[in-house]
Amino acid sequence: MATSDPVYLRVVEDIRRQITDGTLPPGAPIPSRAQLTRKYQVGETAARHALRVLAGEGLIIGRVGSGHYVRERPDLTSLHRWRFLDHPAPFAADLQSQGRRVTWDWHSEPAEAGPDIARRLRLTEATTLSKTRYVYRGDGKPLQLATSYEPMEFAAHSEEERRSLVARMYAHGIKITEVVESVHTRVPRPAESDALALAAGVHVLHIERTHWAGDRPVETSDIVVPGDRFRITYSMPV
Amino acid sequence: MATSDPVYLRVVEDIRRQITDGTLPPGAPIPSRAQLTRKYQVGETAARHALRVLAGEGLIIGRVGSGHYVRERPDLTSLHRWRFLDHPAPFAADLQSQGRRVTWDWHSEPAEAGPDIARRLRLTEATTLSKTRYVYRGDGKPLQLATSYEPMEFAAHSEEERRSLVARMYAHGIKITEVVESVHTRVPRPAESDALALAAGVHVLHIERTHWAGDRPVETSDIVVPGDRFRITYSMPV
DNA sequence: CGATGACTGCTGGAGCCCCAACTTTGCGAT
DNA sequence: ATCGCAAAGTTGGGGCTCCAGCAGTCATCG
């Protein structure tokens, strides 16, 4: 007693506990607003707010006209970071190896390097780069977005060239020696929510990847994948 | 016209645009509920809901008695994945090198391997492991949680031993040859929210790390860091 | 001149209500 | 036995109101 916690939290915590300990398995229905008000002796506002919070956490999903249900958590798709994988937007080969039919389309255009890209490619003055957007789909559903920036003179001209950045650069006498990936999580931008068909409350993993030739960065890309469906695995020899 | 979008979204989108394009810089005050109702000609409920959505996205922060403000986005702390870094809970050395006073404490105890840990360490039968929880703090503030599991016979007995897993294993004739890290993002568990003092709507990066000796996993740990303050960088020679 | 206290504005919790759109269910008619 | 339809239940959007607690501001008092 003397718990001055907001009452909606009592509801949230109780339901969350039931979900995490398995009392409420994936797919199980959550009591409706009306039932919650009775069960927990709270007002409609509190019941409603509790459901919204849980939905925002991605634990439950609401279906209009039907009810709220414990969200099915599909197994995380594993993205293996093989040392020699170098597709412009990575992981496609990896997804294919997991037996998923992956398709991708892309759109290439010249673009001015913004401050962020300029920094990553160590450009000191305004430079026009070849910017390519990739959209990856598995069984029709969008899986992954990527935006790649590279100097105009190295840009891919054929579908074949597009498959290996390392080979393409090598043909220009540039030997890529290192790949650096930086991963963090953030709220999706509206365009990303649309493109990846993200549910509310789902964050994305954002990977900034840069290919280096010695001490010179030669290509950089932003890769965005849904945070609730992907894990990225890095394997490093010691 | 004919925009049948919910009205609160109009407010959300307008404010979000102003934040992302810099019209509202970090720290700038957001109009109050009362002001929003007048400005956008919406009810109090819609204004309030818009603010809640933006706060949930981590774009603004509400201060009771004062107002809502554009959230300061501190630069992401970069966690560099050096190839030979092998502290049981990683990144501490890395944080130190960035000039942050990092302290850590830990608690070790024997524990039964759960199904998940058993799978990761390829254990077929119930085994008792040494389980160590680490809490890392920078300038007093919690930064990172880690839980490490290793066979009882290899457990560290001194502070010194605790500093290098690789050296410790080597003393037992085990040569660690590979480190595998798998990173994904998820909603923090309540205990993690507390321990890391997370704001609402902040996700965590969860890293599962396993040290391998040849084809045998010998240690595995779970590392949890706030998703809004950390990025993890992996550097791979090609 | 400085400290205290009243007043105002703001957030966050909570309650209740109305409605459109959708799903589910059960009943009645064919 | 099946079809169609109406009724009931549910979500999500929206509205209004009250209140506690906090943060400034400003005026008054010692």
Side-chain angles (χ1 to χ4, degrees):
Chain A
M1 33 235 64
T3 65
S4 63
D5 273 359
V7 298
Y8 83 88
L9 268 189
R10 248 189 38 229
V11 183
V12 167
E13 275 159 15
D14 193 50
I15 297 177
R16 184 161 45 204
R17 188 187 48 72
Q18 292 181 59
I19 293 175
T20 50
D21 75 11
T23 312
L24 288 169
I30 304 292
S32 71
R33 287 192 325 223
Q35 291 169 329
L36 288 178
T37 57
R38 283 195 294 275
K39 178 170 177 191
Y40 294 93
Q41 293 291 307
V42 297
E44 221 230 62
T45 310
R48 178 192 288 241
H49 190 42
L51 290 171
R52 182 130 54 191
V53 167
L54 288 164
E57 289 178 3
L59 286 173
I60 66 177
I61 186 163
R63 272 189 265 283
V64 273
S66 173
H68 282 93
Y69 302 87
V70 179
R71 193 125 170 269
E72 312 274 354
R73 279 247 163 212
D75 281 340
L76 290 172
T77 301
S78 202
L79 296 178
H80 251 281
R81 205 56 201 82
W82 299 114
R83 266 196 293 160
F84 295 100
L85 184 69
D86 73 321
H87 193 271
F91 308 136
D94 196 35
L95 290 168
Q96 263 157 350
S97 76
Q98 289 169 44
R100 301 171 75 158
R101 285 164 45 97
V102 175
T103 60
W104 44 294
D105 49 48
W106 49 273
H107 174 74
S108 209
E109 64 183 6
E112 210 62 23
D116 185 51
I117 299 299
R119 183 183 48 72
R120 279 156 61 181
L121 289 180
R122 299 234 184 121
L123 303 172
T124 48
E125 52 201 281
T127 313
T128 303
L129 300 167
S130 170
K131 169 180 168 180
T132 310
R133 276 182 208 282
Y134 296 84
V135 180
Y136 288 78
R137 294 191 181 77
D139 310 317
K141 284 188 284 289
L143 286 178
Q144 177 181 145
L145 306 176
T147 313
S148 165
Y149 299 84
E150 56 191 331
M152 291 296 282
E153 63 263 40
F154 305 137
H157 295 296
S158 66
E159 196 73 21
E160 189 50 39
E161 275 189 351
R162 203 163 287 281
R163 288 188 189 273
S164 173
L165 175 83
V166 171
R168 200 158 81 234
M169 291 287 179
Y170 197 80
H172 285 89
I174 292 173
K175 189 168 177 312
I176 290 180
T177 55
E178 194 170 30
V179 182
V180 175
E181 295 196 358
S182 183
V183 40
H184 72 284
T185 179
R186 58 171 173 77
V187 173
R189 318 207 186 299
E192 293 164 350
S193 273
D194 285 356
L196 294 173
L198 298 180
V202 172
H203 284 214
V204 292
L205 283 174
H206 180 153
I207 303 149
E208 289 176 23
R209 188 179 59 174
T210 305
H211 280 92
W212 295 72
D215 56 1
R216 235 183 81 212
V218 292
E219 184 260 7
T220 194
S221 49
D222 288 291
I223 299 132
V224 177
V225 298
D228 63 337
R229 299 205 299 269
F230 284 86
R231 64 164 69 240
I232 302 163
T233 301
Y234 294 87
S235 171
M236 289 152 283
V238 173
Chain B
M1 40 230 56
T3 64
S4 62
D5 274 358
V7 298
Y8 83 88
L9 267 189
R10 249 188 40 229
V11 183
V12 167
E13 275 160 15
D14 193 50
I15 297 178
R16 184 159 48 203
R17 189 187 47 72
Q18 291 180 62
I19 293 174
T20 50
D21 75 11
T23 312
L24 289 169
I30 304 291
S32 71
R33 288 194 322 224
Q35 290 170 328
L36 287 178
T37 56
R38 283 195 296 275
K39 178 170 176 190
Y40 293 94
Q41 293 292 307
V42 298
E44 226 233 45
T45 309
R48 178 190 287 241
H49 190 42
L51 290 172
R52 181 131 54 191
V53 167
L54 288 164
E57 289 178 4
L59 286 173
I60 67 177
I61 185 162
R63 272 190 268 281
V64 271
S66 174
H68 280 93
Y69 300 88
V70 178
R71 191 124 171 269
E72 312 275 353
R73 279 249 163 212
D75 282 340
L76 289 171
T77 302
S78 202
L79 297 178
H80 251 283
R81 206 55 202 82
W82 299 115
R83 267 196 292 159
F84 295 101
L85 184 68
D86 74 320
H87 192 272
F91 308 138
D94 196 34
L95 290 168
Q96 262 157 351
S97 74
Q98 289 169 45
R100 300 170 76 157
R101 283 164 45 95
V102 175
T103 60
W104 44 293
D105 49 47
W106 50 272
H107 173 75
S108 207
E109 63 182 7
E112 209 61 23
D116 186 49
I117 298 300
R119 184 183 46 72
R120 280 155 62 181
L121 290 179
R122 299 232 185 126
L123 303 171
T124 47
E125 54 201 278
T127 313
T128 303
L129 300 167
S130 169
K131 167 179 170 181
T132 309
R133 276 183 208 282
Y134 295 84
V135 180
Y136 290 77
R137 294 191 180 77
D139 309 317
K141 283 187 285 289
L143 286 178
Q144 177 182 145
L145 306 176
T147 313
S148 165
Y149 299 84
E150 55 192 331
M152 291 296 281
E153 62 263 40
F154 305 137
H157 295 296
S158 67
E159 195 74 22
E160 189 50 40
E161 274 190 352
R162 203 163 288 282
R163 289 189 190 274
S164 172
L165 176 82
V166 171
R168 200 159 81 233
M169 291 286 179
Y170 197 80
H172 285 88
I174 292 173
K175 190 168 176 308
I176 290 180
T177 54
E178 192 169 31
V179 182
V180 176
E181 295 197 357
S182 182
V183 41
H184 73 284
T185 179
R186 59 172 173 76
V187 174
R189 318 209 187 295
E192 293 165 349
S193 272
D194 285 357
L196 294 172
L198 299 180
V202 172
H203 284 213
V204 292
L205 284 174
H206 180 154
I207 303 147
E208 290 177 23
R209 190 179 60 174
T210 305
H211 281 91
W212 294 72
D215 56 1
R216 234 183 81 214
V218 293
E219 185 260 7
T220 193
S221 49
D222 288 291
I223 299 134
V224 177
V225 296
D228 64 338
R229 300 206 299 271
F230 284 85
R231 63 165 69 241
I232 302 163
T233 301
Y234 293 87
S235 171
M236 290 152 281
V238 172

